[in-house]
Amino acid sequence: MRWSERQVAMLQEMGIRVWDAPAQGDEVAVADPAPAAAPAAAPSPAIAPTTEPTVAPLRGPRPSGVATMDWPALRDAVAGCTACKLCSGRTQTVFGVGNPQAHWMVVGEAPGEQEDRQGEPFVGKSGQLLDSMLRALGLTRGEADPARQVFIANTLKCRPPGNRNPQPEELAQCEHFLIRQIELVKPRMILAMGRFAVQSLLRSSEPVGRLRGKVHQYQGVPLVVTYHPAYLLRNPEDKARAWDDLCLALEQMKPMDPAADA
């Protein structure tokens, strides 16, 4: 593929240089560390068990009617959702951001600490890298026409504690929100970033490395799999592969969107 000088310049923004490891608060899915072994306790006399009940986190029923909600109703449903245990530890939900009629949709994994504080997906260093990747394609999360602006959403709308991996129950409780967002946006291209986005949208447990490099379909919408920006910050040698994925998506869009050639 031959690129213009402008596209080459934007490609350079993705970074030939090596980036630092992601700072705390970037969207990172990591396993919980193993708890330290507790020291052995000295024998003690038998004590009668307490009758005081354990207080469970407040949880409510899964919101109903999501499949027919418009944008305001869907946003309110996400903000008030208490269907899984993540509701007890969030600062706020992370609904999504961008043009609700965008031609491109980016789906990430789960909010990190900064996303939880700001209520917006992909902030911090991983967000900066994502913005550079989008600029390289002539796209933005800022104000623009639908052909140039993206809508960004996560598979989970609440932050898992300690930025741990999402659990299957949490993904299952949250996926109907993401499905409705995709139905409302009606994107022409979906970029699935990271393995939990892939699992939610493609129902596949295959690693990202095996699924990238080809065009998949989600409900008739072309979907391209690529690495999560937080992963690329830790593994900058895979940025070239991520750029190939973006080029694949852009080539797929050109027949549908003549403005992509501009």
Side-chain angles (χ1 to χ4, degrees), residues 28-106:
V28 184
V30 295
D32 287 328
S44 58
I47 301 175
T50 179
T51 58
E52 183 179 354
T54 300
V55 178
L58 178 62
R59 291 174 61 181
R62 178 173 174 168
S64 60
V66 172
T68 60
M69 288 180 179
D70 59 11
W71 281 112
L74 185 62
R75 186 179 291 274
D76 289 344
V78 169
C81 181
T82 58
C84 79
K85 60 189 176 184
L86 294 182
C87 68
S88 62
R90 71 189 180 212
T91 301
Q92 59 185 315
T93 56
V94 181
F95 181 76
V97 65
N99 192 319
Q101 298 177 319
H103 292 186
W104 293 69
M105 187 164 181
V106 175

Side-chain angles (χ1 to χ4, degrees), residues 1-218:
M1 182 183 302
R2 301 184 66 181
W3 298 97
S4 67
E5 291 183 3
R6 183 188 66 83
Q7 288 169 320
V8 170
M10 299 308 291
L11 171 59
Q12 291 174 347
E13 286 205 50
M14 286 183 61
I16 302 302
R17 57 192 177 177
V18 176
W19 293 76
D20 293 330
Q24 183 181 18
D26 287 333
E27 299 182 32
V28 184
V30 295
D32 287 328
S44 58
I47 301 175
T50 179
T51 58
E52 183 179 354
T54 300
V55 178
L58 178 62
R59 291 174 61 181
R62 178 173 174 168
S64 60
V66 172
T68 60
M69 288 180 179
D70 59 11
W71 281 112
L74 185 62
R75 186 179 291 274
D76 289 344
V78 169
C81 181
T82 58
C84 79
K85 60 189 176 184
L86 294 182
C87 68
S88 62
R90 71 189 180 212
T91 301
Q92 59 185 315
T93 56
V94 181
F95 181 76
V97 65
N99 192 319
Q101 298 177 319
H103 292 186
W104 293 69
M105 187 164 181
V106 175
V107 178
E109 296 187 327
E113 183 179 14
Q114 293 183 34
E115 288 78 17
D116 176 67
R117 290 177 178 175
Q118 299 182 34
E120 182 173 334
F122 285 96
V123 299
K125 287 190 175 181
S126 64
Q128 293 168 12
L129 178 54
L130 175 62
D131 289 341
S132 294
M133 296 167 74
L134 295 176
R135 281 195 301 270
L137 297 177
L139 303 174
T140 178
R141 72 168 83 194
E143 291 297 327
D145 62 89
R148 297 301 187 192
Q149 193 178 13
V150 299
F151 188 90
I152 306 174
N154 281 324
T155 54
L156 289 188
K157 310 307 182 189
C158 297
R159 177 199 179 199
N163 292 356
R164 62 158 170 77
N165 289 339
Q167 297 177 353
E169 176 197 1
E170 296 160 357
L171 292 168
Q173 292 289 357
C174 226
E175 70 175 1
H176 61 317
F177 292 135
L178 176 62
I179 289 171
R180 186 56 180 160
Q181 286 178 309
I182 296 174
E183 290 173 347
L184 290 172
V185 174
K186 298 181 177 64
R188 302 184 185 185
M189 172 59 65
I190 298 173
L191 290 175
M193 293 186 156
R195 67 186 180 101
F196 293 105
V198 170
Q199 288 178 11
S200 293
L201 296 176
L202 296 183
R203 296 291 193 267
S204 174
S205 59
E206 289 288 321
V208 170
R210 292 185 181 177
L211 294 172
R212 56 163 299 276
K214 63 187 74 171
V215 179
H216 304 269
Q217 294 287 321
Y218 173 83

